[in-house]
Amino acid sequence: MRMNRLAAVVLAPVLGFAGVLLGGPVADASAQAGCQYKVVWPTAGVYENPNPNSVVVKTKYAGDIVGASTCEGASWNEYGYVLVATDAAADGRGWMRTGAVVPV
């Protein structure tokens, strides 16, 4: 019985500390960060919708950092798109071709 109490006394703070690490500020920060990308094409369009026939609302250049608070993707036939935040789009959501960016 004494050994069980000792184990409980020792394990409780350890497990509590692990819970703080798993659900603490580090986990919250990464969840809030979303996805960020670096533009690798010389010029890349930001589309209103994820399809090649959509209106280009903005142009980004090689080295620019883009992203959004959520990591969303979409596809249109053989084209893949990633979500980026932009004031230029009507809903604040723009789309860039996946080949134009790399994760940061």
Side-chain angles (χ1 to χ4, degrees), residues 7 20 33 43 49 54 59 61 64 68 73 75 83 88 93 98:
V20 168
T43 59
N49 296 303
S54 180
T59 301
Y61 303 94
D64 288 350
S75 62
L83 177 68
R93 297 164 47 102
T98 55

Side-chain angles (χ1 to χ4, degrees), residues 1-98:
M1 182 78 158
R2 183 174 173 96
M3 189 59 117
N4 287 341
R5 277 192 202 158
L6 180 60
V9 169
V10 170
L11 285 177
V14 170
L15 293 175
F17 182 69
V20 168
L21 287 178
L22 294 176
V26 173
D28 291 342
S30 65
Q32 293 173 357
C35 288
Q36 290 190 338
Y37 308 95
K38 182 177 181 180
V39 177
V40 293
W41 287 359
T43 59
V46 178
Y47 296 88
E48 180 77 34
N49 296 303
N51 80 59
N53 301 319
S54 180
V55 174
V56 175
V57 295
K58 193 176 222 179
T59 301
K60 290 294 189 175
Y61 303 94
D64 288 350
I65 302 297
V66 297
S69 60
T70 62
C71 301
E72 292 183 42
S75 62
W76 177 272
N77 293 333
E78 71 271 13
Y79 302 107
Y81 295 86
V82 294
L83 177 68
V84 296
T86 180
D87 292 336
D91 59 359
R93 297 164 47 102
W95 298 88
M96 293 187 73
R97 294 272 304 273
T98 55

